[in-house]
Amino acid sequence: MTWEILSIIGTIAFAISGTLIAIEEDFDLFGFYILGFTTAFGGGLIRNLLIGVPVQNIWMQSSLFKIAFFVITLVFFLPNIWKGHLRSSIVFFDAVGLAAFAIQGANFAMSFDAPLISVTLAAILTGSGGGMLRDIFAGRRPMIFHSEIYAIWAASAGLAIGLGLIKTSFLTYLLLTIIVLLRVASVHFDWNLPRYFYR
């Protein structure tokens, strides 16, 4: 049940996130669906490719595709909801998607006894892969490489799960909440990783 709930939460959040980026970039309706679906399913696709899961498994999630389609359509036809707080909405929904899919990716790797480093990488790739593809399609620098602390929160989820610290549904949802709060806080307080300054 937790797996399905995380899938639904992540799909809705990333579908909204991708569609809001489409609003910001002034895309047409087709662009809305491309960015929405790419963001919602891109992370899982990258994870499956790297760990050898058949790619066609992504296309078997008909219920999630229907949810994503409905959400993208709703965002497109209700643009006034986002007026005045588009940027903060993008940050929030992106944080929720990042957290949900990072946890899901880590649990997926744990299901076949992957080592800790693989669990952590699965969390990062699943959590941030869709957003990375979204940014590339939108002609932006991927957020994972320059934005306020981003992939570190996904890695933290992988480490917590890989070390066996998350053993109940309650702790899973608590971890989800913590990651969302940390990601939003990192944007609000402008937390950044060290950067290289060429002189």
Side-chain angles (χ1 to χ4, degrees), residues 92-158:
F92 173 74
F93 286 109
D94 193 73
V96 174
L98 174 75
F101 280 141
I103 293 170
Q104 194 189 59
N107 281 324
F108 193 86
M110 285 290 288
S111 68
F112 52 87
D113 298 321
L116 180 60
I117 184 64
S118 299
V119 173
T120 305
L121 285 173
I124 294 171
L125 292 172
T126 312
S128 59
M132 183 168 60
L133 291 176
R134 173 202 64 204
D135 292 339
I136 292 171
F137 285 0
R140 300 178 169 208
R141 283 193 303 159
M143 200 180 294
I144 184 176
F145 299 132
H146 72 91
S147 184
E148 299 84 355
I149 300 175
Y150 191 83
I152 292 297
W153 305 133
S156 300

Side-chain angles (χ1 to χ4, degrees), residues 2 26 51 72 77 81 96 140 157 159 161 167 175 181:
T2 302
D26 196 26
I51 63 179
I72 295 165
F77 286 105
I81 294 176
V96 174
R140 300 178 169 208
L159 286 172
I161 292 169
K167 296 182 179 180
L175 180 62
L181 291 175

Side-chain angles (χ1 to χ4, degrees), residues 20-155:
L20 294 179
I21 294 291
I23 291 176
E24 207 169 50
E25 296 293 332
D26 196 26
F27 280 19
D28 61 15
L29 181 59
F30 183 72
F32 270 63
Y33 286 113
I34 291 297
L35 279 194
F37 281 117
T38 297
T39 313
F41 298 99
L45 180 62
I46 291 172
R47 177 201 63 210
N48 288 2
L49 283 170
L50 291 177
I51 63 179
V53 175
V55 176
Q56 60 265 30
N57 284 11
I58 287 288
W59 307 111
M60 304 300 180
Q61 307 174 92
S62 61
S63 58
L64 292 180
F65 274 97
K66 290 175 184 175
I67 291 172
F69 180 84
F70 175 76
V71 168
I72 295 165
T73 305
L74 196 64
V75 173
F76 181 83
F77 286 105
L78 296 174
N80 291 333
I81 294 176
W82 318 106
K83 281 187 176 178
H85 50 85
L86 182 62
R87 177 59 186 163
S88 59
S89 298
I90 291 172
V91 170
F92 173 74
F93 286 109
D94 193 73
V96 174
L98 174 75
F101 280 141
I103 293 170
Q104 194 189 59
N107 281 324
F108 193 86
M110 285 290 288
S111 68
F112 52 87
D113 298 321
L116 180 60
I117 184 64
S118 299
V119 173
T120 305
L121 285 173
I124 294 171
L125 292 172
T126 312
S128 59
M132 183 168 60
L133 291 176
R134 173 202 64 204
D135 292 339
I136 292 171
F137 285 0
R140 300 178 169 208
R141 283 193 303 159
M143 200 180 294
I144 184 176
F145 299 132
H146 72 91
S147 184
E148 299 84 355
I149 300 175
Y150 191 83
I152 292 297
W153 305 133

